Amino acid sequence: MINVSDLKTVGKRMPKVEGMAKAKGEAIYAVDYDLPGMLYGKILRSPYAHAKVVSMDTSAAEKLSGVRAVITFKDVPKILFNPSNRYNFPPNIPQDQYILSEKARFVGDEMAAVAAESEEIAEEALKLIKVEYEELPAVFDPEEAMKPGAPKVHEGAENNVLALVPIEQGDIEKGFKEADLILEDEFRVTKQHHVCIEPHACVASYTSEGLTVWSSTQCPFQTRYVTAKALSLPDNKVRIIKPFVGGGFGGKDEAFHEPLAGFLSLKTGRPVKIELTREEDFNATRTRHSGVVRVKIGFKKDGTIVALHMRNIFNAGAYSAASPRITRASGSRPIGLYRLPNYKYEGYCIYTNVIPAGAYRGYGNPQQGFATEQLFDIAAEKLGIDKVEMRLKNAVRVGDINPLTKSPFQSCGIQDALKKGAEKIGWHNKKPKAISKTKLRGYGMAIGAHWTSITPLASEYSCATINLNTDGTINLMIGASDLGQGLDTVMSQIAAEELGLPLSDVSIYPGDTAVTPWDGGAYSSKSTHVAGNGVWLAAKDLRNKLTKEAARMLNVKQEDLVCRDRKVVSKVDSSKSVSFADLISWMKNNSPEPYSIGRGIFKMPTNCPTYIANFVELGIDTETGEIDVLKYVACQDVGTAINPMQVEGQMEGSVHQGMGYALMEDIIVDKETGEVLNANFVDYKIIPAKDMPRNIEAELIPTYEPTGPFGAKGCSEVGLTPVAPSIANAIYDATGVRIKELPMTKERIFTAIRQHKT
């Protein structure tokens, strides 16, 4: 085990390496690219939730001055693809989209596109396209879509079931027979939009050398794979470059408009930019899955859980995208958090005629957590057991067998997180319930775990290379993606620490599929662990080469040498040392490898969850239903925090996003037309900074994960999972009202309180 206090860079609160570029406005995003001769692409979207194109007349648009291309379904390759396809994982994931469609399956579906000399001309051209639709019956609710006779969204999907995902361990019936207390309930979860500060954008340029796309993506290599497939191009003729990205949260996990922009560029012979408006971003990208979570849970009298049966029905929307994976992931969450001898999960993802759902921070975890963590509280109350003690009794710990990998958990801080959180919130010394005549105080808590990577369901690996410059500085090349979460800084810290360099000596070059080594992308909270290990191995490889050459130069044993302060130094005799720059100069004439390059390839051997315990103290006005979060405590185990300041930022951001999910965020779909009714920042409500809790305490729980770089593991997604249930549990503690539907708006809370009183 490494002692973090002995390290110079890792474990330290470092500013982001790109912070100054962003602060000065120098950071270049996809939308900032303005190539010579560039055209502007715009998309004609369906006004109907379900309709077939009878005819489409593009002649007037084609004649408009400045229009260089008008394309429809008839023009694009007839190749079905899935924009979230991760190298055919899971196997047989539905390929159910074309670049453009002749059948609309949701309001906003892509029916035609134009490329013109300006955005204004392109928008005018869209108005000139005449489309005759045959409107078809539509279905918007997943439970309705499953009924016999419901409108079919896709042929071949019986009862609109896109996928049915079963997970089972133990004997569920035997478990319930052993239970002294059985609870069963239903919870409803809502759609949430990513609301990234940067809308989706890409610029495509097709030349004789192939297709280059500058894309706002969090998965460059996956985007290359999908784009190449959709356009029937070989991988080596498609290059995806990821510039700065203004937030992702899973919303940029897929290839959205890269194939379309690429085809327009191929057709016109000129670069094409597609930039979505904010309204399009709301209407036609992805959301968190809404749906119904039904849970049956059994306990012994002493609080030991003996059985859990969960049945999720997720609204996939019009296309598959990542829904089968997310449905599976949702069912795998409880077995990484609780000791569950008997567990059964049935996950349904259902096609409907609404905006497709996809990856979103937490990846199915917040939905199940909203249900299971409330039922844990209900059970604890019925059994007369403290809610913290109930979870301490049932949570996994080091040495327990990981149900996914069948090997023991090697790190787990959930027990310490629970104890620390209870202490910080004053769980065992709570303040009086009454704040004023109409305002009551409530305390709530919930816990969560999130798998780091998708291992062992698929191979996870990442590569890195480090080039040593003549002055001793380094260039670090990675395929992993920084979306604003600080990954570039963390990777730079790992390389700097291993090579004994200051952070300023590291320049990082991420996310270019033609130049940087391979990485799967930023998802599943894996980048610090998987990509970080790739960087660590590359740094170790370079360090080994440098110490080997320095041993020859200094006439000392290699094992006695270390890298620190830009030098190779003998641990035995500090006078025996050489700077990196002088060593490289010596190597030019004395080494068969005059310039050193470090290479690292890391394949994830296991899956180690990250853990969190959240505690909240809130005030609730019984006359209005309005909530005031007085104090929020988040205690998170991330192994070694490579950069504690960034981890704390992730935790605080999770509280903000989780509170939005809990209290107000909701994509509202018209029940008659399927249209999104709040596709803007005026009508779609997120929590402003002034309404955030004045007191958020982000506590890092120190553990050490042996398989992670310097003992680190993931951090970014787990923090959101317990927010909604901890608030729901606090509402109940204050009022005696149990809210089982998201978002828990003040109107919904007010109504529930009134009904409870009567």
Side-chain angles (χ1 to χ4, degrees), residues 528-588:
T528 294
H529 194 136
V530 181
N533 264 319
V535 171
W536 202 19
L537 290 173
K540 288 180 177 180
D541 183 45
L542 178 56
R543 184 201 64 194
N544 182 62
K545 291 175 180 177
L546 292 176
T547 55
K548 180 180 179 181
E549 294 300 322
R552 291 176 56 231
M553 179 184 177
L554 299 172
N555 196 24
V556 297
K557 294 179 180 179
Q558 182 181 3
E559 57 266 30
D560 291 338
L561 295 175
V562 295
C563 293
R564 65 172 183 240
D565 301 325
R566 299 187 174 109
K567 296 184 293 186
V568 181
V569 184
S570 170
K571 294 181 290 185
V572 178
D573 181 359
S574 60
S575 67
K576 296 289 184 70
S577 70
V578 59
S579 70
F580 285 179
D582 288 344
L583 178 59
I584 295 166
S585 179
W586 180 85
M587 288 166 59
K588 286 180 182 179

Side-chain angles (χ1 to χ4, degrees), residues 612-691:
I612 192 165
N614 279 11
F615 291 78
V616 61
E617 175 191 353
L618 58 78
I620 181 166
D621 193 323
T622 58
E623 294 297 314
T624 65
E626 191 166 350
I627 283 178
D628 180 18
V629 176
L630 305 172
K631 185 175 182 179
Y632 204 102
V633 176
C635 299
Q636 188 165 332
D637 156 30
V638 299
T640 298
I642 302 293
N643 190 323
M645 182 168 63
Q646 289 191 171
V647 175
E648 290 163 4
Q650 288 283 343
M651 294 167 70
E652 291 165 3
S654 294
V655 173
H656 176 266
Q657 213 162 26
M659 283 180 58
Y661 182 55
L663 300 175
M664 62 177 62
E665 292 188 48
D666 188 11
I667 290 285
I668 301 172
V669 176
D670 188 294
K671 294 181 180 179
E672 299 296 325
T673 66
E675 179 184 3
V676 174
L677 299 178
N678 56 340
N680 56 70
F681 280 142
V682 174
D683 299 316
Y684 184 90
K685 303 298 183 183
I686 61 174
I687 296 177
K690 67 181 181 66
D691 290 341

